[in-house]
Amino acid sequence: MADIKPDDYEWIRQFLYTQCANDLGQGKEYLISSRLGAVAREAGLADISALVTSLKARPLGGPLHQKVMEAMTTNETSFFRDGHPFAALEKQIIPRFLSSNSGRPLRIWCAASSTGQEPYTIAMVLRTNFPDVANRARILCTDVNATVLKRTTEGVYSQLEVNRGLPAQMLVRYFERAGANWRAKAELRSMMDPRVMNLAVPWIGIQPQDIVFLRNVLIYFDAKTKREIVTRIRNTLAPGGVLFIGGSESILGMDEGLSREQFGMSTVYRRAA
Ligand SMILES: C[S@@+](CC[C@H](N)C(=O)[O-])C[C@H]1O[C@@H](n2cnc3c(N)ncnc32)[C@H](O)[C@@H]1O
């Protein structure tokens, strides 16, 4: 593996921070090598140093810049990831929503939805347990990485991907064969509203949300960015709306407008009603 020059490392670190606020920190040369080596080769460039030189010579925002930013995001996800948030959704959160909101549409936002397994999991929970709610629910799926987001629109997953967390009865009920892959049925796909969006930039045009999933993305931001995003999310939550974050993440003491509630193994943050 070729060494990354300190100046190139710093340029990539800064670039990533300005594009999507991901804080690479120090000592992640292996990550740059493993993720950008292929981008350099595909662009016909000898190595990462040549890639940085080429990026510097082009205007920001072009396709090569986009590829580099996307390659540096971590898109790890799976169906029913961590399990308990979806149990809380089914057993507590949706029943509580139904008890105070008869007939109005449910709005859910997956704020870093990657390749879509998380919003499709939510859609399956709704279709299976609350079919009437599912008929009037929209799941806003956003990610800064347009390439992974496209997969949510397509709803096509490999055998390997469905093997990761999707129960067999859900696979049979909600997916159909697409060659060697599986495609989510229209009843799930029609619930998705995918949009490219950078959480680090103030957003407009997002309606008040009843439930926000912001899981396994806060870890990539520094404390200041994290706090700003959490405050903006709180302001986007409808009164009484709830926020899920990842199991290894904490926003404790970050926003006084959110109160912590425990549902079994799952912690959620609620905006005062
Ligand atoms: C590890 S995945 C989490 C996927 C899913 N929420 C889960 O928990 O399984 C993190 C996602 O956050 C996205 N991301 C990183 N920075 C972002 C930003 N500034 N705005 C929006 N999405 C971002 C990445 O592209 C990636 O798809």
Side-chain angles (χ1 to χ4, degrees):
M1 191 184 298
D3 286 341
I4 311 286
K5 292 185 199 152
D7 283 359
D8 291 339
Y9 187 97
E10 190 49 29
W11 191 89
I12 292 168
R13 195 178 72 80
Q14 285 294 340
F15 167 75
L16 207 58
Y17 192 77
T18 51
Q19 294 303 295
C20 58
N22 283 211
D23 185 11
L24 193 59
Q26 298 302 326
K28 301 279 175 56
E29 283 79 1
Y30 67 95
L31 210 62
I32 294 183
S33 291
S34 62
R35 294 184 176 182
L36 298 188
V39 178
R41 274 193 300 279
E42 208 180 291
L45 298 161
D47 54 22
I48 285 159
S49 198
L51 177 64
V52 171
T53 304
S54 178
L55 289 165
K56 283 180 182 168
R58 296 163 194 241
L60 266 179
L64 192 58
H65 286 91
Q66 181 71 16
K67 265 192 191 149
V68 167
M69 188 272 284
E70 291 188 352
M72 288 304 296
T73 61
T74 299
N75 311 118
E76 166 66 17
T77 189
S78 57
F79 291 102
F80 288 91
R81 183 174 186 181
D82 298 337
H84 45 81
F86 306 103
L89 187 68
E90 178 193 334
K91 305 285 182 216
Q92 278 106 2
I93 309 289
I94 305 287
R96 199 194 283 192
F97 171 81
L98 285 175
S99 67
S100 52
N101 298 282
S102 56
R104 94 164 165 76
L106 171 71
R107 290 200 195 95
I108 301 186
W109 178 16
C110 274
S113 54
S114 186
T115 40
Q117 285 89 330
E118 186 176 68
Y120 277 108
T121 299
I122 296 167
M124 286 184 276
V125 169
L126 294 181
R127 284 267 172 233
T128 305
N129 302 288
F130 310 97
D132 291 346
V133 178
N135 286 336
R136 53 190 154 92
R138 281 300 269 170
I139 306 177
L140 174 63
C141 312
T142 65
D143 203 287
V144 73
N145 183 329
T147 305
V148 295
L149 191 70
K150 200 159 157 260
R151 298 212 35 217
T152 306
T153 311
E154 294 160 354
V156 176
Y157 297 95
S158 69
Q159 187 67 52
L160 206 70
E161 287 171 323
V162 301
N163 285 350
R164 292 190 62 207
L166 186 59
Q169 69 273 22
M170 292 280 189
L171 175 65
V172 171
R173 181 160 168 191
Y174 292 115
F175 288 77
E176 51 209 0
R177 275 275 179 205
N181 299 321
W182 295 89
R183 182 166 200 219
K185 290 185 181 170
E187 62 180 315
L188 297 188
R189 281 186 282 115
S190 63
M191 295 168 72
M192 306 295 150
D193 179 11
R195 298 186 211 171
V196 177
M197 187 178 139
N198 181 358
L199 289 168
V201 175
W203 49 80
I204 44 165
I206 305 274
Q207 290 183 300
Q209 300 292 315
D210 299 300
I211 303 167
V212 176
F213 281 74
L214 180 71
R215 299 196 313 147
N216 304 304
V217 63
L218 289 174
I219 40 170
Y220 301 107
F221 303 128
D222 62 16
K224 176 177 170 284
T225 310
K226 211 166 130 172
R227 188 179 290 273
E228 287 168 357
I229 291 173
V230 169
T231 301
R232 281 201 291 276
I233 296 265
R234 187 248 293 148
N235 288 332
T236 306
L237 278 170
V242 298
L243 166 66
F244 285 89
I245 60 170
S248 62
E249 295 166 321
S250 168
I251 57 166
L252 219 57
M254 219 171 250
D255 192 300
E256 287 174 1
L258 292 169
S259 57
R260 195 168 178 265
E261 285 184 21
Q262 196 69 31
F263 293 110
M265 301 261 296
S266 210
T267 304
V268 302
Y269 294 84
R270 181 178 296 277
R271 180 178 183 174

